[in-house]
Amino acid sequence: MWTSWWLWALVAVCAADTFRDRAVSIMEKTPVVDGHNDLPWQLLKQFNNRLLDTRANLTVLTGTHTNIPKLKAGFVGGQFWSAYMPCDTQNKDAVKRTLEQIDVIHRMCQLYPETFQCATSSADIQKAFQAGKVASLIGVEGGHSIDSSLGVLRTLYHLGMRYLTLTHNCNTPWADNWLVDTGSDEARSQGLSPFGKRVVKEMNRLGVMIDLAHVSVATMKAALQLSEAPVIFSHSSAYSLCKSGRNVPDDVLQLVKSTHSLVMVNFYNDFVSCKNEATLSQVADHLDHIKKVAGAESVGLGGDFDGVERLPVGLEDVSKYPDLIAELLRRNWTETDVRGVLSENLLRVFSLVEQRSNHTQAPDDEPIPLDQLDGSCRTQYGYSEAPGLHRQPGALLASLATLIFSLSLL
């Protein structure tokens, strides 16, 4: 009896090793391209973006989910680094602070050229794979970072941005965020406003991937129906398994399937189990579900490392990707499906977005109407030939009231 138990245990251990060995073998040729990592945010919070601070050395950095040894152990060959600024920068210094985060990502490539290779295209990712480096791409997390300006959108593209998350946890003047669906925020655009639709069209023209993580369901559907290229969810999971508004409902997954788009699964416990605790196996459940509903070509990985506080047991940092891939192999995922989730699905979407771009087409140069903008510190240059005539309605009424009161005293 005891001999039989010991043999079964030995078989189980050997099988586990076999799945992980297979995972490593696959990942040596097809590395991970992860959709969302907030290491630049940690570099700002901990070191005020001073990368030359000895404590910020990415080869020995501690207290984060990400450093260079962990990336290598996790077979990460491509990473969309998040240029993120919180919603409280909206209508203030969001553009400036976003530029500083983009600068940090560029400096990571400059300071660690043996590890990071800045990339702006699907072909660049393949070149980084061949060189054994981490293709480093820029995703801007939150539409407030363009300050409702198509000119800023284009400028961020020229600086390397290759996806824009349409909202973070707040509405912009032209797109609604996921908190609208929870009742914690009020719908402003009922998805996308007319200007929001033009933002989507301009992203298509440029070749910037549209990221629908953080947006409301109405915004998801509007963008999926409007976009002429596939879209991504850079770090979202399956709503059917965890009913968080940050996740993707099944009817939207059907649209993902029909548009050949991509959901990159988030590892944050609250979006995996809807509890403080979660496991690697539950993350695999989300991958299974999205694969079942939207198809194997619509699944990717967007761990949200260094942007969240709670991660599943078994996925504590970026070095753990091989264990997740081993679990998928254990669940009878084919090698083709595994290569898809690792990077090939993202490369397909990115390539299609590039193909649908059209830089010969004239840029959209119609600004958002002034009365749709918030913020009391805005100037109004360009909105009127006579400065001050076309003020926001509230300011104009206040001026008229003052004038009428003054006249009454005469």
Side-chain angles (χ1 to χ4, degrees):
M1 177 179 174
W2 288 107
T3 302
S4 175
W5 176 89
W6 180 84
L7 286 172
W8 278 114
L10 181 61
V11 167
V13 170
C14 291
D17 289 344
T18 299
F19 287 122
R20 199 179 192 285
D21 289 345
R22 283 182 60 199
V24 168
S25 177
I26 294 169
M27 297 172 80
E28 286 174 338
K29 296 178 181 177
T30 308
V32 178
V33 175
D34 180 272
H36 194 89
N37 185 300
D38 277 298
L39 178 62
W41 175 245
Q42 295 299 326
L43 295 173
L44 171 63
K45 287 204 307 179
Q46 297 185 37
F47 311 110
N48 202 14
N49 286 340
R50 292 173 292 183
L51 300 189
L52 296 180
D53 187 319
T54 55
R55 297 170 301 163
N57 187 329
L58 296 184
T59 61
V60 294
L61 181 65
T62 60
T64 57
H65 305 141
T66 311
N67 62 26
I68 289 173
K70 291 174 183 176
L71 288 166
K72 291 180 178 179
F75 293 91
V76 178
Q79 182 65 66
F80 279 87
W81 303 109
S82 177
Y84 161 69
M85 271 295 124
C87 283
D88 62 2
T89 63
Q90 184 163 211
N91 302 313
K92 297 175 185 175
D93 55 353
V95 175
K96 168 185 174 287
R97 301 306 297 265
T98 300
L99 291 174
E100 291 171 344
Q101 294 310 101
I102 289 174
D103 172 68
V104 165
I105 297 166
H106 284 296
R107 285 191 286 130
M108 285 168 57
C109 294
Q110 292 167 350
L111 284 173
Y112 303 94
E114 71 289 345
T115 300
F116 301 122
Q117 186 167 310
C118 276
T120 58
S121 68
S122 57
D124 285 348
I125 296 175
Q126 298 281 15
K127 291 175 184 176
F129 284 0
Q130 294 167 7
K133 298 182 180 181
V134 179
S136 294
L137 302 104
I138 298 169
V140 172
E141 186 180 16
H144 60 282
S145 285
I146 69 168
D147 199 22
S148 300
S149 167
L150 297 176
V152 173
L153 173 70
R154 289 187 284 270
T155 299
L156 295 183
Y157 170 81
H158 292 307
L159 292 173
M161 174 187 72
R162 288 302 179 266
Y163 78 63
L164 172 68
T165 316
L166 297 189
T167 72
H168 194 250
N169 298 337
C170 54
N171 293 336
T172 66
W174 43 271
D176 292 337
N177 83 98
W178 70 280
L179 292 172
V180 167
D181 297 329
T182 71
S184 300
D185 207 345
E186 293 185 7
R188 177 170 181 171
S189 301
Q190 284 67 52
L192 291 171
S193 74
F195 182 79
K197 293 175 182 178
R198 288 169 44 218
V199 170
V200 166
K201 289 291 188 182
E202 188 66 359
M203 291 173 70
N204 283 164
R205 188 193 71 81
L206 288 167
V208 176
M209 288 185 285
I210 295 157
D211 177 22
L212 301 181
H214 287 278
V215 306
S216 70
V217 170
T219 308
M220 293 177 192
K221 292 179 178 179
L224 278 158
Q225 291 164 357
L226 179 66
S227 178
E228 297 175 0
V231 308
I232 65 169
F233 292 77
S234 68
H235 56 305
S236 295
S237 299
Y239 183 84
S240 286
L241 301 188
C242 171
K243 294 185 176 5
S244 164
R246 273 284 284 105
N247 289 338
V248 188
D250 281 1
D251 60 337
V252 176
L253 287 178
Q254 293 289 348
L255 288 173
V256 168
K257 180 177 183 177
S258 64
T259 56
H260 308 287
S261 295
L262 181 65
V263 178
M264 308 182 84
V265 169
N266 192 314
F267 298 170
Y268 182 38
N269 289 356
D270 297 45
F271 304 153
V272 171
S273 65
C274 285
K275 298 178 181 178
N276 288 338
E277 297 81 26
T279 64
L280 178 152
S281 179
Q282 289 174 305
V283 173
D285 291 341
H286 282 264
L287 292 162
D288 274 340
H289 183 83
I290 296 167
K291 176 171 173 275
K292 177 182 177 181
V293 177
E297 70 167 11
S298 294
V299 193
L301 302 172
D304 209 359
F305 286 112
D306 284 308
V308 298
E309 297 177 353
R310 295 180 290 277
L311 287 162
V313 174
L315 285 171
E316 293 85 359
D317 59 52
V318 298
S319 72
K320 304 295 186 177
Y321 284 109
D323 296 321
L324 178 58
I325 300 307
E327 176 63 19
L328 298 183
L329 292 169
R330 189 176 291 108
R331 296 179 180 213
N332 295 317
W333 282 49
T334 68
E335 185 170 322
T336 298
D337 291 347
V338 165
R339 292 187 187 280
V341 78
L342 283 167
S343 57
E344 290 180 357
N345 292 340
L346 182 279
L347 288 168
R348 173 189 57 80
V349 169
F350 196 0
S351 179
L352 285 171
V353 169
E354 292 167 334
Q355 291 171 34
R356 303 287 168 84
S357 67
N358 185 359
H359 287 253
T360 64
Q361 178 185 339
D364 184 343
D365 63 1
E366 184 67 28
I368 190 172
L370 182 61
D371 61 7
Q372 294 179 18
L373 293 173
D374 300 321
S376 60
C377 296
R378 293 185 182 278
T379 57
Q380 300 169 27
Y381 299 116
Y383 278 96
S384 170
E385 292 181 2
L389 277 182
H390 293 282
R391 300 180 182 179
Q392 295 187 36
L396 184 57
L397 288 172
S399 299
L400 287 172
T402 302
L403 177 60
I404 292 169
F405 178 73
S406 299
L407 290 173
S408 70
L409 297 177
L410 296 177

